[in-house]
Amino acid sequence: MFDSIKDQLKKAKKIAFVTGAGISQESGIPTFRGNDGLWRNYDPMKLATIDAFYDNPKLVWEWYNERRQNIFAAEPNLGHKAIAELENFSEVIVLTQNIDGLHQIAGSSKVLELHGSIVKIKCTVCNYKEEILTEFSDMPPLCKCGNILRPDVVWFGEGLPQDVWEEAIIHANSCDVMIIAGTSLVVSPANTLPIYAKQNNAILIEINPDETNMTEDMDLSIRTTSATALPELVSMFKNN
Ligand code: APR
């Protein structure tokens, strides 16, 4: 699968992964835009925007609680575990759009959550932030300051946290190889990370059963799932 770029991969000092919902699909978490897509049942503009939240905070909280239950029941799959194992062979940074925390549970030590985290909440007014692992009883939950709490995730129309995005660009500009796994690359600015990497002469590898609008920019695009391809990538390093 990786033979055509085996030498460049083996020489890589730093490998950056850009991952999306597809890498958690084999853990039973639905993607957003695939045919099992989460957005198939909901209009994202009715749930994942700040206006939707203020229009109906209870509905948005119930949706996130449903997603939280789904995520807490999920286990990292062979794709997540392979990325974690790759740290034995190279510097690895994971730039993920996912909020499910499965990369960290699989053992990846350097993960940047570009779109926040399902376990993090914050106050809509004061600077209170917390990680929660349980469901709230009263909907929507209130902060000690009396204002509504919200999921600490990036909604459509919201910018990424400046510090997180700036760090992500540094990694995209300084990796030798960027592996884009399980993302449709339709949401910005995460979908610009491969452009930064390419501008810095990184090798781009895409792992996705479907083509994306950046497939032709890739040095190698593999039409398979991440849980199939990534263990093979690790075994290539093992059998050096
Ligand atoms: N292995 C690898 N890729 C897969 C797999 C799999 N097992 N199953 C599906 N895919 C691919 C799909 O073909 C699709 O290209 O993963 C991609 C998932 O794309 P999306 O559902 O659009 O998810 P993502 O790219 O992460 O969306 C980006 O959009 O809704 C917002 O904030 C949300 O972070 C999310 C962002």
Side-chain angles (χ1 to χ4, degrees):
M1 225 183 262
F2 296 93
D3 288 351
S4 61
I5 49 160
K6 184 173 179 176
D7 296 342
Q8 292 111 309
L9 270 170
K10 291 248 173 127
K11 277 191 298 208
K13 291 188 186 57
K14 179 171 179 178
I15 301 175
F17 282 86
V18 173
T19 66
I23 200 164
S24 296
Q25 187 264 339
E26 286 159 292
S27 295
I29 298 174
T31 62
F32 292 98
R33 296 170 185 84
N35 47 26
D36 67 337
L38 206 53
W39 297 134
R40 191 169 43 89
N41 311 323
Y42 304 88
D43 173 357
M45 300 327 279
K46 285 203 175 60
L47 287 167
T49 67
I50 190 79
D51 296 339
F53 181 71
Y54 281 112
D55 274 355
N56 191 340
K58 187 170 179 297
L59 172 67
V60 174
W61 261 111
E62 280 166 354
W63 184 55
Y64 272 92
N65 273 341
E66 186 187 317
R67 288 180 67 192
R68 193 195 313 280
Q69 295 324 313
N70 192 1
I71 284 170
F72 287 164
E75 296 282 324
N77 61 55
L78 292 176
H80 296 107
K81 291 174 184 170
I83 292 175
E85 193 178 356
L86 208 55
E87 293 186 7
N88 299 321
F89 305 100
S90 176
E91 183 191 348
V92 176
I93 176 76
V94 181
L95 310 172
T96 188
Q97 299 170 89
N98 298 343
I99 61 174
D100 57 32
L102 291 180
H103 283 299
Q104 296 93 317
I105 296 168
S108 286
S109 59
K110 283 165 72 179
V111 179
L112 218 45
E113 293 176 314
L114 303 173
H115 294 168
S117 163
I118 195 87
V119 296
K120 290 183 181 150
I121 56 163
K122 63 183 180 182
C123 180
T124 49
V125 176
C126 75
N127 55 12
Y128 171 79
K129 286 189 173 218
E130 198 199 327
E131 286 202 11
I132 47 154
L133 294 169
T134 54
E135 217 176 296
F136 282 100
S137 47
D138 49 339
M139 278 293 128
L142 297 181
C143 178
K144 297 186 195 74
C145 73
N147 292 291
I148 298 180
L149 292 167
R150 57 164 282 181
D152 192 1
V153 296
V154 178
W155 280 325
F156 289 109
E158 289 187 314
L160 273 60
Q162 192 58 28
D163 56 334
V164 169
W165 180 240
E166 281 169 7
E167 188 184 342
I169 292 174
I170 290 169
H171 291 303
N173 283 334
S174 59
C175 63
D176 308 295
V177 174
M178 179 173 276
I179 300 178
I180 298 103
T183 176
S184 58
L185 289 171
V186 297
V187 171
S188 70
N191 63 356
T192 62
L193 290 168
I195 299 167
Y196 284 100
K198 193 161 184 85
Q199 282 169 349
N200 284 277
N201 304 314
I203 302 274
L204 297 187
I205 301 170
E206 180 178 60
I207 298 172
N208 193 323
D210 299 337
E211 287 203 355
T212 67
N213 54 19
M214 286 195 69
T215 294
E216 73 259 11
D217 302 305
M218 302 293 166
D219 296 286
L220 176 64
S221 191
I222 304 170
R223 287 282 78 72
T224 188
T225 72
S226 40
T228 305
L230 291 171
E232 195 160 316
L233 175 70
V234 173
S235 55
M236 186 194 75
F237 277 88
K238 279 180 182 167
N239 317 326
N240 53 2

